Amino acid sequence: MPPTLRSSIHGRKAVQQPESVKNSIHLAALSIKTDFLQPEQLDNEDEDMQSDHEMMSSEMEDDLDESYYNDVDAPLQSSAQELLRPLQETADRVSRQVEEFSQALDRFRGESKNLSGQKLWAATWNLMDTYAGIANKSAGRVQASSAEHKHAQKNRKSLGDTTAQKENLLLESDIWNLTSQILPCKSPELLEDAHHAENAALVQLHRYSKNDEIWAAFMEVDPVANHYEVLLDWLQERKRKTSPALKDSDLKSYDDCGRGDVMWEGGNIYTQAPIKRQKVTRAHPGPLQPADDMRTMHFRKSDSEPLVTQMDPDAALRQDAMLEVEDELYETSAWHASWELLRRGSSPDQCRNWWQDRNELWRALILRSPGVQNSSEVNKAWLRIINLASNRELAILCRDLADNQDVATDYENAVYGILSGSYSAAAPVCESIDDHLFSLINSLLIERYEQFLSAFQQKLQTPDLQEYTPLPPTTAEISNYMQSSQVDKATKAEAHQPHKYLQSALVSDDLAHFFLEMGHAAAQMAHLTGQSKVLFDNDETQVNECAQVAAQDEDVVRMATHLQLALQPLGLLDQAYDENALVLENNIINYMGLLERHAKYSLLPLYASKISAERQPRVLGRILSKVTIPKERDMQMRLMKSYSIPVYRVIYTICDYARRTWAMKLSPQREALQAAKVIEYKDKIVRVRTGFIGQVHDEDEGRVVEAHEWVNCIDTKNWGMACWLMTALYKNLLLSGKLAAAKSLSTRVELAQTSLKVTGMNLSLAALVAETPEEDGDTDMEGDATVDDHSRLASPTKRRKESKPNHPLAKETTNRSALAEQSLVWAHLELLVQAMDTLELWQDLANSVDTLPRNDPKTVKTAKKELGHALQTVHSAMQPLLDHGFLSSAMDEQEDHDLRQIREHYLPECILAYNSALYFGGHAITRQHLVQCMELAQQVAQNETLTGAFVASRRMQELVTAFAHDSQALLRANEHSSASTRGRGSKRSSVSGEKGGRTDIWQVQWRADAET
């Protein structure tokens, strides 16, 4: 039995319209995977999960409504709305198409998981039909919006949303239809059946076989012929759809042939008149003979050329004579009409009706190639080729006429060229790439059919001959033409149109090369234009200029991506993927960049699941760093998990890429990084520098901190990676003096809350009491190559490959002690930042004392109370910094280097600042704080970590001087207190902290104490 073909002989499956889809981006995303959401949750997700783009648009509209439109007249408001309408409609169309294509792809993904063989192929060409339906609907929407105000039409034209846009949408629909028709010609079932049919291709044929039976046997054994037939049928249908109804006035030279506006009839009427005059003059009852004397008397008055003496269609060629000028122009129009009827694939009935109305049925007879016909096939457009089986002489004669240079018009050569399969004869009248393709593919198909007919004739002479081997594929000739069309002046502009470039690859059966060219061009144009370049490595491969244009066209990028994703499961791109998988993935990544530009973040995981596991984190990470709304992050997490994307690797890329990008922007600003100063000297006395942390004003700093909020989404097993990401950023921020960003990080991604959310345990306190791991002197971690010191941090990924298996951050564990150990450095760095924050707040409060009224005991009492609470907060925050081994639990050699730098700078600064706060509190609140200064001195002296930091930073002299001032102040306070108690009737000094002290809170003199 012949295989089921999607061809003109065996029928074509009707295009299926896609199901109705929802317009919301988030409903589109949620409809992809709803197994993890309850039905009642979907509405809430849809309401809350707005993209940044949508929220911004909404805010802009609100602003315009409130501040502008209320103050203008109605006509002006209407004009503004019409001005923006084309842009909004285009954006809506693109958004709707993007979502509908994603939904169709995801449905196909789910349905095709368990399919194989012919069922998978059938599902794929059904998907192509669905895509065609989406494009058809989009074209319909563009058409519906054409009836609008004339000003809006001008605006639409200026924005590119014109008739050309609709034509591209219709072409897109046709391309998807063509794909669904071509795929069966490549299916393994058809190829296998065709291979088996070769052994008995001619068995059922005999001398009485009908033309359509011979044609069916030919199509059964030759898959390439099936491909050509589909292409020809598609090209003819495209011509019918995109061209207006054929009219006489549209034909070449018709306006000059003297027929007027009415339909002609009667043939060459201007040449008939001289012939009739000669017959009357000579009283000649029969046809005139072209004798020599007739040539001297029967000629055209315009140029004295001899006229024909008979009116049959071959007279001019046979007699080597001319028609009247009007009739020659008429012949040009008539052959042009015949060409158009062939080009549009008109049926024999349509051709007959056309020429019957013009009283020239013989022309219709030429076009239909008369021969033995089956009644069921009598009205097929393919009758002219099918009938070559019984009328091969006609093909020979047509070929001779096609090659005859004496034929009066190129259109006559073209008609005979189409009938005989001569591309060279038809090429001169081809005005478009599609015309050339029609003529060329027609020639290739007839060539293959004549080869089969020759084998059939041999079989009739040699009955034992049953086998037939088809000609090798000749699609290379189509590819050669498509390449030449890109440099031919007549077709160059058309060939460079992105949609045409895709069509040419499909027609020439060269999709693998097309995808490779597009992949190279995607990377090149990304770096050239700057759009999405962070997603690609630079590519310097020489590519076609058409590919570079197409790689920037959003519609073609979308089509190429979805076509590639549909063909890949069929195995049609296996060889290309084996050799150039990364290049082919560029097409998918290019489309993901397009989704990013349209803020379609919820659609990204679907396409990320189609690229290699190595590139998923990089691509998703660099895009999703822009997702800042917690609910949208949660949705991304669910989607990534549903598509089996390793979430922890994506989170690592988001944070690491944000940190490195910020670090590279920071590095050119200074040669060496400078940590922030916490203290300052005024009159040789140490004070906390006012506002030394400040606020985050740099957008890059804000973004890098915001990106690390993704750490809250990591899983327990990869907690070590989260700790590495956080400590890496803390170290970068501290070493570069970005304390405001470090403070923001400590509040946005607090260890206590994050660990509780991720692991279910509060690791902020547990980390402090965890045992300090022994330093491994043999650990040699190779840091990533970056631009400067603050980026020399080895990633956990490298650690897993290069370090020992027991590296704390490389362990996947849920053990509380191990998790606490991993969190230790993070906890220390966070505590350091929090301690500095309390110091800044203390100094702000201390400075505000100067603004209070000095003679109000109630105010003084309140101020002292506030200062006391603030100082107690400083005391609590500083205690962890005074512990043994603070910031000394490095996980590797590089981290030990970074922590040592932080210790040597910030610990002396913070301790001197803390001592300064105690010194001030000893004067302003109670002398007990001066006693704490002495206790602080003892703690520092007994702590090797602290003394080592002061010695290494060469600040021991500052510390000794500060403690000396503390001793002097305490001694004076004791003497003053004793003198006060000996005084008669005196009250206790406020320095003693006892009730009834005087209001001397403002009498703290830094300079006086220094000079004592």
Side-chain angles (χ1 to χ4, degrees):
M1 295 178 61
T4 302
L5 301 177
R6 296 162 64 87
S7 64
S8 60
I9 293 297
H10 299 286
R12 179 166 292 103
K13 188 173 73 66
V15 175
Q16 296 179 352
Q17 296 297 329
E19 301 175 359
S20 60
V21 293
K22 301 176 182 178
N23 294 330
S24 170
I25 173 176
H26 300 292
L27 283 180
L30 293 174
S31 65
I32 294 174
K33 282 291 176 183
T34 59
D35 54 321
F36 49 82
L37 289 179
Q38 298 299 323
E40 61 271 12
Q41 292 177 305
L42 293 179
D43 292 338
N44 296 333
E45 293 290 341
D46 180 47
E47 292 174 0
D48 295 335
M49 296 180 188
Q50 290 185 338
S51 66
D52 294 342
H53 175 75
E54 291 169 335
M55 293 176 64
M56 186 180 297
S57 300
S58 177
E59 292 172 359
M60 290 175 64
E61 291 174 0
D62 293 342
D63 292 342
L64 288 174
D65 288 341
E66 295 177 3
S67 63
Y68 181 74
Y69 285 120
N70 290 336
D71 299 330
V72 296
D73 295 333
L76 183 57
Q77 179 178 351
S78 176
S79 176
Q81 290 175 345
E82 290 182 352
L83 177 66
L84 297 175
R85 186 187 306 163
L87 182 61
Q88 183 62 44
E89 288 177 355
T90 301
D92 291 343
R93 174 188 67 80
V94 173
S95 176
R96 195 178 294 113
Q97 276 187 301
V98 163
E99 293 168 6
E100 291 176 348
F101 267 75
S102 297
Q103 288 183 343
L105 176 63
D106 193 68
R107 284 195 299 269
F108 170 75
R109 173 183 173 272
E111 295 169 356
S112 62
K113 281 183 178 179
N114 300 321
L115 297 180
S116 61
Q118 195 64 19
K119 291 183 179 180
L120 178 60
W121 283 77
T124 303
W125 68 61
N126 286 335
L127 176 65
M128 301 298 103
D129 289 341
T130 301
Y131 289 158
I134 296 173
N136 265 329
K137 287 197 304 182
S138 298
R141 295 186 189 106
V142 173
Q143 184 177 17
S145 63
S146 59
E148 56 188 335
H149 195 274
K150 61 181 181 180
H151 296 299
Q153 290 179 351
K154 292 181 179 180
N155 298 333
R156 184 178 302 281
K157 184 175 181 180
S158 67
L159 293 169
D161 192 3
T162 60
T163 304
Q165 185 186 61
K166 180 187 174 183
E167 291 176 354
N168 283 336
L169 288 171
L170 291 175
L171 177 56
E172 177 182 341
S173 174
D174 291 338
I175 287 176
W176 289 121
N177 281 326
L178 175 60
T179 307
S180 68
Q181 296 166 24
I182 285 178
L183 280 180
C185 302
K186 298 182 174 299
S187 67
E189 182 182 29
L190 176 67
L191 297 177
E192 185 178 356
D193 290 345
H195 179 70
H196 290 317
E198 292 180 5
N199 297 327
L202 306 174
V203 171
Q204 302 298 329
L205 299 180
H206 49 81
R207 66 179 65 254
Y208 301 108
S209 295
K210 298 177 181 179
N211 290 348
D212 60 299
E213 294 174 347
I214 301 173
W215 176 261
F218 164 63
M219 298 301 289
E220 182 178 354
V221 78
D222 195 337
V224 178
N226 280 273
H227 180 72
Y228 289 162
E229 185 206 22
V230 169
L231 292 177
L232 272 184
D233 192 35
W234 183 83
L235 288 167
Q236 292 173 164
E237 186 176 358
R238 274 281 302 165
K239 182 67 174 180
R240 289 194 298 269
K241 289 171 58 177
T242 58
S243 301
L246 186 59
K247 298 179 182 178
D248 296 337
S249 57
D250 298 331
L251 300 175
K252 186 176 182 179
S253 303
Y254 179 79
D255 294 337
D256 300 324
C257 68
R259 263 62 177 179
D261 296 334
V262 298
M263 186 182 300
W264 78 65
E265 59 180 45
N268 297 323
I269 55 178
Y270 287 92
T271 306
Q272 290 176 357
I275 293 176
K276 289 182 178 180
R277 284 196 297 270
Q278 289 293 337
K279 286 186 177 182
V280 171
T281 301
R282 295 170 175 268
H284 199 292
L288 294 176
Q289 298 299 324
D292 290 340
D293 60 334
M294 183 63 69
R295 284 180 171 270
T296 60
M297 303 174 60
H298 188 62
F299 53 84
R300 293 192 308 200
K301 295 181 180 180
S302 60
D303 56 6
S304 300
E305 291 290 337
L307 289 172
V308 297
T309 60
Q310 300 167 10
M311 289 305 301
D312 60 279
D314 296 332
L317 188 61
R318 186 180 66 254
Q319 297 180 1
D320 190 23
M322 302 293 179
L323 301 174
E324 287 289 354
V325 175
E326 293 83 357
D327 289 338
E328 285 188 345
L329 296 175
Y330 156 71
E331 281 292 315
T332 299
S333 299
W335 287 112
H336 185 194
S338 297
W339 159 262
E340 285 292 333
L341 292 171
L342 286 174
R343 178 65 184 85
R344 297 170 189 231
S346 301
S347 67
D349 282 349
Q350 291 171 331
C351 294
R352 182 173 57 254
N353 293 336
W354 171 272
W355 290 116
Q356 187 174 9
D357 293 339
R358 290 153 182 81
N359 200 24
E360 289 194 294
L361 279 174
W362 67 271
R363 296 185 186 273
L365 191 63
I366 291 177
L367 299 183
R368 67 183 295 175
S369 297
V372 179
Q373 316 151 14
N374 183 288
S375 58
S376 63
E377 305 295 334
V378 70
N379 208 32
K380 291 287 186 181
W382 303 111
L383 200 61
R384 61 181 176 82
I385 301 179
I386 295 174
N387 283 343
L388 291 177
S390 60
N391 200 357
R392 301 193 67 195
E393 293 79 5
L394 178 62
I396 296 173
L397 292 175
C398 287
R399 186 172 293 109
D400 291 340
L401 289 172
D403 296 336
N404 194 327
Q405 300 300 319
D406 294 330
V407 173
T409 172
D410 287 339
Y411 282 107
E412 184 175 0
N413 288 98
V415 169
Y416 290 130
I418 295 299
L419 295 177
S420 63
S422 174
Y423 168 64
S424 59
V429 303
C430 295
E431 298 179 350
S432 67
I433 291 178
D434 283 0
D435 290 345
H436 283 278
L437 288 174
F438 169 78
S439 302
L440 177 58
I441 296 172
N442 175 81
S443 173
L444 297 176
L445 178 59
I446 291 178
E447 178 186 16
R448 302 184 77 86
Y449 190 42
E450 287 187 336
Q451 175 74 9
F452 181 79
L453 293 178
S454 298
F456 171 58
Q457 293 298 324
Q458 294 179 13
K459 189 259 183 184
L460 295 180
Q461 299 174 6
T462 309
D464 295 337
L465 179 63
Q466 305 294 344
E467 296 182 3
Y468 170 72
T469 302
L471 288 174
T474 51
T475 51
E477 296 191 32
I478 304 177
S479 299
N480 292 337
Y481 166 71
M482 295 311 306
Q483 293 177 3
S484 65
S485 69
Q486 296 172 9
V487 296
D488 188 351
K489 293 182 179 179
T491 56
K492 182 178 180 179
E494 183 183 3
H496 279 68
Q497 295 176 8
H499 284 76
K500 278 294 181 183
Y501 181 58
L502 173 56
Q503 175 195 321
S504 68
L506 188 61
V507 170
S508 59
D509 195 21
D510 202 12
L511 283 174
H513 179 70
F514 166 78
F515 291 136
L516 287 174
E517 289 278 290
M518 286 284 288
H520 288 300
Q524 292 178 6
M525 300 314 296
H527 282 267
L528 185 63
T529 62
Q531 284 189 339
S532 304
K533 72 175 184 178
V534 297
L535 305 180
F536 302 92
D537 293 327
N538 197 9
D539 192 325
E540 299 181 355
T541 305
Q542 186 71 26
V543 297
N544 194 308
E545 183 179 347
C546 296
Q548 294 180 332
V549 176
Q552 300 177 80
D553 186 275
E554 292 188 353
D555 289 334
V556 173
V557 169
R558 170 176 46 78
M559 294 173 66
T561 300
H562 288 86
L563 183 56
Q564 179 176 317
L565 291 176
L567 298 182
Q568 183 183 359
L570 301 180
L572 297 177
L573 303 176
D574 285 351
Q575 182 178 356
Y577 263 94
D578 291 340
E579 299 173 356
N580 299 281
L582 296 180
V583 178
L584 293 179
E585 286 181 359
N586 284 350
N587 295 318
I588 305 173
I589 297 172
N590 193 21
Y591 184 63
M592 293 177 68
L594 185 153
L595 294 177
E596 176 192 6
R597 293 193 291 275
H598 287 284
K600 301 292 185 181
Y601 296 107
S602 56
L603 304 180
L604 291 170
L606 169 63
Y607 297 93
S609 66
K610 303 296 183 180
I611 61 179
S612 59
E614 291 74 17
R615 300 184 79 180
Q616 284 175 356
R618 171 184 175 179
V619 176
L620 270 180
R622 297 187 177 189
I623 297 177
L624 295 183
S625 60
K626 299 179 180 179
V627 177
T628 58
I629 300 175
K631 287 188 176 181
E632 288 191 354
R633 284 176 178 156
D634 292 340
M635 182 180 65
Q636 289 291 334
M637 295 292 298
R638 293 194 296 270
L639 290 172
M640 284 190 285
K641 290 177 181 177
S642 68
Y643 291 112
S644 302
I645 297 174
V647 175
Y648 74 94
R649 295 184 62 196
V650 176
I651 292 176
Y652 169 78
T653 304
I654 292 174
C655 300
D656 187 66
Y657 173 71
R659 178 180 58 82
R660 290 180 183 278
T661 303
W662 167 77
M664 285 188 289
K665 291 180 179 179
L666 181 68
S667 60
Q669 298 178 6
R670 54 176 66 92
E671 294 182 0
L673 296 178
Q674 296 180 356
K677 291 290 186 180
V678 180
I679 61 172
E680 62 184 356
Y681 282 87
K682 287 190 175 180
D683 299 325
K684 300 181 180 180
I685 296 298
V686 177
R687 296 189 64 178
V688 179
R689 193 159 59 91
T690 302
F692 68 91
I693 293 181
Q695 301 293 327
V696 177
H697 300 292
D698 187 88
E699 293 183 0
D700 293 330
E701 290 181 32
R703 278 194 289 266
V704 71
V705 172
E706 202 170 45
H708 279 68
E709 291 180 350
W710 277 93
V711 168
N712 288 289
C713 301
I714 210 164
D715 58 284
T716 306
K717 291 183 178 180
N718 291 282
W719 177 249
M721 177 177 288
C723 294
W724 183 88
L725 291 169
M726 291 298 297
T727 56
L729 181 57
Y730 267 122
K731 289 181 287 187
N732 284 170
L733 294 173
L734 291 170
L735 291 174
S736 58
K738 304 297 182 181
L739 297 185
K743 174 185 173 181
S744 176
L745 182 64
S746 68
T747 56
R748 284 175 173 265
V749 195
E750 187 178 2
L751 175 58
Q753 296 179 357
T754 302
S755 61
L756 190 61
K757 179 179 179 181
V758 174
T759 69
M761 295 174 278
N762 187 341
L763 300 175
S764 59
L765 296 178
L768 293 177
V769 299
E771 294 183 2
T772 303
E774 296 182 2
E775 294 185 3
D776 187 352
D778 297 332
T779 302
D780 184 14
M781 311 303 291
E782 180 182 351
D784 295 343
T786 51
V787 292
D788 44 36
D789 290 343
H790 65 274
S791 296
R792 299 192 325 269
L793 300 169
S795 70
T797 304
K798 282 196 171 186
R799 285 177 174 145
R800 294 182 183 189
K801 295 178 180 178
E802 300 172 4
S803 64
K804 294 184 177 181
N806 60 350
H807 191 287
L809 295 184
K811 294 178 181 178
E812 291 186 358
T813 179
T814 57
N815 180 270
R816 182 181 181 88
S817 299
L819 293 174
E821 179 187 4
Q822 292 175 336
S823 309
L824 186 59
V825 177
W826 179 358
H828 284 181
L829 292 169
E830 184 178 88
L831 289 170
L832 174 63
V833 173
Q834 291 173 350
M836 288 189 285
D837 184 34
T838 61
L839 288 168
E840 183 186 50
L841 292 175
W842 153 263
Q843 188 61 46
D844 290 341
L845 184 60
N847 292 339
S848 67
V849 170
D850 291 334
T851 63
L852 298 176
R854 305 191 176 193
N855 298 320
D856 187 353
K858 185 177 180 180
T859 301
V860 172
K861 182 178 180 180
T862 302
K864 290 178 64 176
K865 185 176 181 180
E866 291 179 355
L867 283 173
H869 287 314
L871 190 55
Q872 182 60 38
T873 303
V874 172
H875 175 74
S876 299
M878 284 296 301
Q879 290 312 301
L881 278 64
L882 303 177
D883 289 341
H884 293 273
F886 184 76
L887 285 178
S888 300
S889 303
M891 299 295 182
D892 54 60
E893 184 177 327
Q894 179 58 52
E895 187 169 75
D896 180 67
H897 173 270
D898 295 332
L899 293 183
R900 185 169 62 253
Q901 285 187 306
I902 294 174
R903 287 198 312 270
E904 292 174 359
H905 176 81
Y906 285 103
L907 287 185
E909 290 277 320
C910 289
I911 290 174
L912 290 172
Y914 177 42
N915 181 75
S916 172
L918 293 175
Y919 182 87
F920 184 88
H923 289 77
I925 306 173
T926 170
R927 66 177 179 177
Q928 184 63 32
H929 295 306
L930 293 175
V931 176
Q932 290 178 344
C933 291
M934 299 299 96
E935 295 174 353
L936 176 62
Q938 185 177 7
Q939 285 179 294
V940 174
Q942 294 175 352
N943 191 321
E944 294 181 1
T945 302
L946 299 180
T947 56
F950 276 97
V951 170
S953 59
R954 299 180 180 180
R955 306 190 70 173
M956 185 60 76
Q957 183 177 358
E958 296 179 52
L959 181 65
V960 172
T961 302
F963 287 152
H965 291 162
D966 297 338
S967 301
Q968 293 175 358
L970 181 60
L971 179 60
R972 287 197 308 273
N974 289 332
E975 292 176 352
H976 180 68
S977 176
S978 299
S980 298
T981 55
R982 289 195 300 268
R984 184 176 300 175
S986 64
K987 297 182 180 180
R988 300 211 174 208
S989 171
S990 63
V991 179
S992 66
E994 298 179 8
K995 186 176 180 181
R998 25 187 195 88
T999 58
D1000 58 350
I1001 189 173
W1002 291 275
Q1003 296 179 8
V1004 179
Q1005 300 294 330
W1006 302 87
R1007 182 178 181 84
D1009 292 336
E1011 294 174 350
T1012 302

